[in-house]
Amino acid sequence: MFYKLYYKFQHWRLHKKAGGTPLQALYEQPFINSFQLFTSTRFLVLDCEMSGLDVKSCQLLSLGWVMIEHGRIVNVSARHQLIHADRGAGESSRIHGLLDSSLAGATSAASVLMLLIKQMQGAVLVFHHAPLDIRFLQKAVIENFRCPLLFSYIDTMDIEKRRIHLQGKTMGLRLSQCRDRYGLISIQQHNALADAQATAELLLAQASYLDKEHKLKLSDLSIRCSR
Amino acid sequence: MVSEAGDVQSFLVQHPPFNQLSENQLEFASANIYVAFSKPGNELQLNKSTLDGPKTGMLIVRSGSLEIRDQQGVLIDRLSSGDYLVPGVLYSNTRNIPRIVVLEDCLYYELGDKAFQSLTATSSEMAAICETDKTHTVYSDDTGDDGSYQADDEVERKDVYPGQYVKDTMSSVIIFAAPDTSIREAAQLMREHHISSLLVKDKAQLVGIVTDRDFRIRVLADGVPDSDAIRTVMTPDPMCIEVDSLLQDAQLKMMAEGIRHLPVLDDQQPVGIISQTDILRENNIEPISLIHSISRTNSIDELSTVAGKIPDLVVKLVARDTRAIEVGKIITTLSDGITKRLLSLATEEFGTPPCDYAWLAFGSQARQEQALGSDQDNGLLLPDSISAEDAGYFKDFTGYVNNGLDQCGMPYCPGGIMAKNEKWRMSLQGWKSCFSHWIEEPSPKALMHASIFFDMRLITGNTELVLELQAFVLEKARSNTIFLAMMCDNALLHSPPLGFFKTFVLETDGDHNHTLNLKKRGTIPIVDIARNYALSVGLPALNSTDRLYAIKQAGAMSGEMSYSLIDAHEFIAGLRLDAQGKQYSAGLKTDNHLDPKELSPLLRHQLKDAFNVVREAQAAKKARFGGGVL
């Protein structure tokens, strides 16, 4: 219920600033009600790869996303976008395998973000561990368009945390650990797209377990508003 | 954007039928894939298009498993990673729409119906999966040609084991002909008895021998008319060998003289014949020496020690690539030997039986198809004239033998079909009325237990009693179509474990999760088919392979079908033996279960084809004998 209040507040606070920028359409789209059914919602599952964990010194390297419609992952909607970096990929290139040479051919942050904003229309975003990704995303958007994004999102790590908490247990919450519990096989490679797809599968699994008679609502998935 | 095949596409490309698609077709397929997840217990409704989503043309399991059952709850198929189903085909029978239920957390791909349709239009591999019951027979190479495999074995078997005797290896079935018999008659006689040589006897005197080779060299090659007397072409005064000679002497003699057959004499009278083939076949050192040890034992304990060596022997035979049919015969020969020895030990223990008797083996022992740990099925046939007092003698007698068999690795029959049960110790009249009851008033349940009685073989005792009973049963069964139809119905309960889309349906009961029961699902259906046909034509053959040959000879089954079945039988029996050998070597209890994951893809494919042959034969059988009682 704070979700709606906060969304309205953010909208009121920022919509003038968004006017005339590529973000305008986002601010003009209708509010997504938390009573909306899971199966009739369009989701954009997003994963970001960064050059490090510190927002101030590090930056986005790539984005991967895939859509969920009617409770099904739409394979053809999968995208993997590399972002042209001002600085080299740095320490995290060892983790993501993104080398400077492959980043060199990448698109500029602005055009990747504009593609993303287009896809976000009418969709609820999905992250696994949202706060970090959102912080980097907002920083990049503000740098490029001088205004933050406004969107609704759910966090599969949050969903899992609540589920485990209800069972009175403590368990690992990393993506692969969560997937294990739903019998989802571990993914071979780690990049933004593979992780977005893995997160999407995890969400379907969580929804399947939370669902009763196709009545699962967004409020059951603790939908929130971006900050 | 980075070009990426993506997880979906790289999964598809590894699995049929997608691995047959061109790169463009594959990309198209993967662009039309929708990924979904369902938890255990959920039912998938693929016939309704989900909400506004696209209709599903095909479903591919990514992880987890699904189960398809019909409305009555009968398992149709079980799908796991890489398996697929086509709703259009599955739901084509509108009267009995199957239910698809999730067994384990299941992530699956849905291929949109429109995309599926256009793929089937452009790819024959995709089109083929809509015809689920495609038939193919792959076995035809090594059918019924014993020559090649014996040749292979010659290499290993050439060294003769000292201490083997001619009398144990010779064939004691000898057929005599008079010197004036025509060549044609002689040849017919040999065909009738499946023998390759004929002894020529003038009055009581052995005067010559004719063999297959003589017909070739002295008759055909010289253009001798077949109406001539065999006297003119036989080998007069043939070389002979004494019954007590060593086997190696017989072999040396044959090699020295360049001949292939030796009549065996006991006190100047021919009692058998031994051929090079006999020596080659029987030079399977261990079985022979085991039989010897068996015949020399003097107590059940000694006997069970000897019997304990049988599994080792089987492992060796399997390692040597002996055909499964041969291994079955060797195991049965040993079981027969053990039974015979036990019977004579019992005679020593309880005194000479007061009257004639016939010890009958049923089921696999009768068919000479025993495997390791096959349980015993036997009964006792007694003359009609037997008194109640005499009948009492056999109580302890049979108990002794059954117990002995159990100690020798042939466990008690769980169904109690053993001579120690009074129920299965009957007079000829008793057995006749028992069989009459099964044949004339068949009930499905009774028949399920009775079918093994129709495989019956004499182990020791009065031959005439058995011959009379066999003739009676064959005649009765052949003329009773209702009985045959019932038996057929019953046999169809054991279906081969192939799913709707030619995937294995695995057992889920007890300890044997995710395995195939090769005996129940593979061997038994073939044995049933062979028995069913054999009874319908009145054939006395017992061994399933022999039966199938004879059925084909009698014109009751097409040659293709019978050969395919023989090969499928051999193949499945081979896998079963192989698995048992491995279990035994690993110190596990032997059973009939096999995890298909342990098979190579090629073997898996062949096994599927073998099961498919069985399924076809079952369908043909059903058509022939009718489904149920009129």
Side-chain angles (χ1 to χ4, degrees):
Chain A
M1 78 193 144
F2 292 118
Y3 156 62
K4 185 172 182 177
L5 214 67
Y6 191 77
Y7 189 96
K8 296 288 180 198
F9 168 69
Q10 286 285 66
H11 185 265
W12 168 80
R13 188 166 71 93
L14 298 166
H15 76 277
K16 276 192 186 128
K17 210 174 176 183
T21 71
L23 304 182
Q24 189 174 349
L26 273 188
Y27 282 82
E28 283 170 0
Q29 67 176 354
F31 167 71
I32 297 174
N33 200 296
S34 66
F35 299 112
Q36 190 169 315
L37 289 178
F38 171 77
T39 44
S40 35
T41 306
R42 203 163 73 92
F43 294 95
L44 181 82
V45 189
L46 183 62
D47 187 72
C48 308
E49 230 81 76
M50 299 74 103
S51 58
L53 292 178
D54 178 34
V55 192
K56 277 180 194 137
S57 62
C58 304
Q59 55 179 322
L60 282 177
L61 296 180
S62 70
L63 297 184
W65 67 76
V66 66
M67 296 280 193
I68 296 176
E69 282 174 5
H70 314 292
R72 308 263 185 283
I73 300 168
V74 183
N75 193 42
V76 76
S77 67
R79 290 287 181 279
H80 191 196
Q81 305 284 351
L82 300 190
I83 294 168
H84 177 77
D86 302 331
R87 293 171 289 264
E91 50 174 317
S92 85
S93 65
R94 280 201 304 275
I95 303 170
H96 309 306
L98 292 177
L99 298 172
D100 287 3
S101 56
S102 72
L103 284 177
T107 330
S108 74
S111 58
V112 171
L113 289 172
M114 275 165 73
L115 253 177
L116 174 69
I117 290 160
K118 222 169 142 192
Q119 295 301 315
M120 283 168 63
Q121 294 293 332
V124 172
L125 265 65
V126 181
F127 302 89
H128 190 76
H129 189 46
L132 185 70
D133 287 34
I134 292 178
R135 231 176 291 144
F136 273 92
L137 212 55
Q138 294 291 36
K139 181 190 136 197
V141 174
I142 290 165
E143 273 171 15
N144 284 286
F145 309 120
R146 296 195 312 275
C147 172
L149 296 166
L150 175 66
F151 57 90
S152 311
Y153 75 92
I154 55 179
D155 187 342
T156 50
M157 189 189 264
D158 249 20
I159 296 172
E160 197 64 9
K161 204 188 277 173
R162 272 196 308 147
R163 191 177 93 106
I164 292 172
H165 187 72
L166 283 175
Q167 294 172 350
K169 297 177 200 160
T170 46
M171 279 185 262
L173 288 171
R174 272 183 301 156
L175 184 56
S176 62
Q177 293 170 321
C178 297
R179 284 171 59 86
D180 270 355
R181 289 193 279 274
Y182 295 94
L184 295 167
I185 44 183
S186 52
I187 48 174
Q188 299 305 314
Q189 48 182 349
H190 284 281
N191 58 45
L193 176 59
D195 282 350
Q197 278 169 329
T199 306
E201 289 172 5
L202 174 62
L203 176 63
L204 293 189
Q206 290 171 328
S208 176
Y209 272 85
L210 289 169
D211 192 18
K212 288 184 185 70
E213 295 156 8
H214 307 292
K215 292 276 187 318
L216 186 71
K217 294 188 285 284
L218 294 180
S219 55
D220 300 325
L221 300 169
S222 50
I223 188 166
R224 288 153 202 265
C225 173
S226 60
R227 318 205 153 207
Chain B
M1 179 181 160
V2 185
S3 81
E4 286 213 51
D7 183 51
V8 172
Q9 194 167 333
S10 52
F11 176 78
L12 289 183
V13 78
Q14 291 169 29
H15 293 86
F18 298 96
N19 56 2
Q20 306 288 331
L21 297 181
S22 73
E23 203 154 313
N24 282 341
Q25 286 171 324
L26 193 64
E27 244 165 58
F28 176 74
S30 123
N32 284 282
I33 290 286
Y34 299 86
V35 188
F37 181 96
S38 207
K39 68 174 175 185
N42 276 7
E43 190 179 338
L44 304 185
Q45 305 274 1
L46 298 170
N47 47 346
K48 297 175 208 153
S49 59
T50 40
L51 304 157
D52 309 319
K55 207 170 157 239
T56 307
M58 185 177 179
L59 181 150
I60 306 106
V61 178
R62 178 69 176 90
S63 62
S65 60
L66 300 170
E67 201 172 69
I68 309 173
R69 288 179 185 274
D70 69 9
Q71 295 285 318
Q72 284 74 45
V74 176
L75 183 64
I76 298 175
D77 205 349
R78 203 164 276 151
L79 307 184
S80 57
S81 180
D83 295 339
Y84 57 84
L85 67 83
V86 180
V89 177
L90 198 60
Y91 294 134
S92 58
N93 179 0
T94 48
R95 274 176 305 164
N96 194 347
I97 291 178
R99 305 176 53 203
I100 307 165
V101 179
V102 178
L103 277 185
E104 300 163 288
D105 285 323
C106 185
L107 188 73
Y108 56 94
Y109 297 161
E110 293 178 353
L111 179 62
D113 191 46
K114 273 190 192 145
F116 175 69
Q117 296 300 341
S118 73
L119 278 175
T120 54
T122 53
S123 154
S124 56
E125 281 78 15
M126 288 292 280
I129 66 170
C130 296
E131 310 153 25
T132 49
D133 267 335
K134 263 182 64 182
T135 58
H136 38 171
T137 324
V138 291
Y139 317 94
S140 49
D141 308 334
D142 47 19
T143 305
D145 182 8
D146 290 354
S148 61
Y149 99 87
Q150 277 180 2
D152 290 342
D153 286 2
E154 270 175 49
V155 186
E156 288 194 39
R157 295 182 186 177
K158 66 184 168 204
D159 49 342
V160 178
Y161 199 59
Q164 282 175 251
Y165 296 92
V166 167
K167 64 171 177 236
D168 294 309
T169 309
M170 70 182 190
S171 148
S172 46
V173 183
I174 37 172
I175 306 298
F176 294 104
D180 296 319
T181 316
S182 74
I183 292 171
R184 175 189 283 259
E185 278 170 13
Q188 285 167 344
L189 207 56
M190 286 162 72
R191 183 183 65 187
E192 217 174 290
H193 293 92
H194 302 286
I195 51 174
S196 56
S197 62
L198 201 61
L199 295 186
V200 184
K201 214 174 172 184
D202 195 7
K203 298 185 181 94
Q205 195 63 36
L206 177 71
V207 295
I209 181 171
V210 273
T211 65
D212 276 349
R213 199 157 155 249
D214 295 332
F215 287 134
R216 201 167 68 229
I217 293 167
R218 296 180 193 162
V219 181
L220 288 173
D222 290 342
V224 175
D226 61 14
S227 53
D228 280 10
I230 47 167
R231 193 192 310 117
T232 57
V233 294
M234 72 184 187
T235 307
D237 302 316
M239 286 272 216
C240 294
I241 193 152
E242 288 297 313
V243 71
D244 291 321
S245 312
L246 286 172
L247 202 55
Q248 56 186 2
D249 291 341
Q251 197 178 23
L252 284 174
K253 209 162 185 173
M254 282 193 266
M255 278 162 64
E257 300 297 323
I259 53 176
R260 291 160 195 220
H261 295 82
L262 280 179
V264 180
L265 299 183
D266 187 9
D267 199 15
Q268 299 301 312
Q269 284 305 306
V271 290
I273 195 153
I274 187 161
S275 67
Q276 280 193 352
T277 327
D278 290 340
I279 294 182
L280 287 174
R281 183 174 296 147
E282 297 301 325
N283 255 344
N284 243 322
I285 300 153
E286 299 88 345
I288 295 301
S289 73
L290 267 186
I291 287 201
H292 256 273
S293 320
I294 286 169
S295 63
R296 291 200 196 113
T297 53
N298 285 313
S299 68
I300 290 184
D301 282 349
E302 282 179 43
L303 203 51
S304 77
T305 313
V306 176
K309 295 177 184 162
I310 297 178
D312 274 327
L313 167 68
V314 172
V315 171
K316 274 186 208 157
L317 289 175
V318 172
R320 223 182 264 170
D321 268 350
T322 314
R323 305 216 326 171
I325 306 296
E326 292 285 326
V327 176
K329 283 186 181 168
I330 290 170
I331 297 176
T332 310
T333 309
L334 294 168
S335 305
D336 286 1
I338 292 170
T339 315
K340 282 179 188 159
R341 189 66 205 139
L342 282 167
L343 283 165
S344 51
L345 286 175
T347 309
E348 283 169 27
E349 176 93 17
F350 301 103
T352 314
C355 61
D356 270 351
Y357 69 91
W359 182 275
L360 300 176
F362 300 114
S364 61
Q365 193 182 359
R367 294 191 310 270
Q368 299 186 286
E369 291 169 4
Q370 278 187 307
L372 285 177
S374 289
D375 48 3
Q376 46 174 309
D377 297 304
N378 45 50
L380 207 62
L381 171 58
L382 298 165
D384 285 334
S385 54
I386 192 165
S387 68
E389 193 187 328
D390 288 349
Y393 164 90
F394 288 102
K395 186 170 178 289
D396 293 337
F397 179 84
T398 53
Y400 179 90
V401 178
N402 285 143
N403 171 43
L405 286 172
D406 181 54
Q407 303 212 1
C408 291
M410 273 172 281
Y412 285 129
C413 169
I417 301 172
M418 285 177 293
K420 72 171 188 160
N421 287 340
E422 201 174 354
K423 200 178 164 192
W424 307 121
R425 280 201 310 270
M426 278 186 283
S427 67
L428 182 59
Q429 203 47 53
W431 280 106
K432 277 185 180 175
S433 61
C434 208
F435 275 103
S436 296
H437 175 71
W438 285 323
I439 297 170
E440 282 163 5
E441 302 155 50
S443 75
K445 198 164 174 231
L447 266 188
M448 196 181 296
H449 303 294
S451 66
I452 64 157
F453 287 104
F454 288 84
D455 307 328
M456 160 180 40
R457 190 164 59 89
L458 173 70
I459 301 297
T460 295
N462 187 315
T463 321
E464 272 138 47
L465 281 173
V466 181
L467 285 177
E468 190 178 336
L469 181 59
Q470 270 168 342
F472 173 83
V473 172
L474 281 179
E475 185 49 41
K476 250 215 144 89
R478 189 163 62 117
S479 50
N480 197 317
T481 51
I482 296 180
F483 162 73
L484 290 170
M486 258 320 192
M487 197 161 217
C488 171
D489 262 8
N490 229 319
L492 292 176
L493 291 176
H494 296 290
S495 59
L498 275 191
F500 202 67
F501 293 95
K502 271 196 89 181
T503 49
F504 292 118
V505 173
L506 304 177
E507 311 283 322
T508 46
D509 318 308
D511 306 338
H512 301 295
N513 268 331
H514 308 300
T515 58
L516 291 168
N517 188 329
L518 289 178
K519 182 185 175 195
K520 202 168 87 186
R521 306 292 216 128
T523 305
I524 289 185
I526 299 176
V527 167
D528 283 344
I529 289 166
R531 182 193 299 117
N532 223 166
Y533 277 90
L535 286 175
S536 77
V537 198
L539 297 169
L542 288 170
N543 186 267
S544 296
T545 310
D546 297 346
R547 273 177 170 169
L548 288 166
Y549 274 125
I551 291 161
K552 189 214 124 201
Q553 290 293 327
M557 191 190 274
S558 75
E560 195 191 348
M561 173 83 81
S562 62
Y563 287 137
S564 294
L565 273 178
I566 289 169
D567 287 337
H569 185 47
E570 165 70 27
F571 181 75
I572 293 169
L575 279 184
R576 189 175 148 201
L577 269 176
D578 210 38
Q580 288 190 337
K582 279 184 194 144
Q583 285 173 333
Y584 176 77
S585 306
L588 301 168
K589 202 174 171 316
T590 54
D591 58 32
N592 299 306
H593 291 266
L594 175 81
D595 185 348
K597 284 199 194 93
E598 287 170 14
L599 295 176
S600 72
L602 182 67
L603 280 181
R604 226 168 13 217
H605 188 76
Q606 281 182 310
L607 184 58
K608 282 182 182 180
D609 278 340
F611 281 137
N612 215 33
V613 166
V614 177
R615 187 154 68 174
E616 276 169 52
Q618 281 195 334
K621 181 171 85 155
K622 193 166 183 187
R624 183 182 167 95
F625 298 108
V629 186
L630 297 172

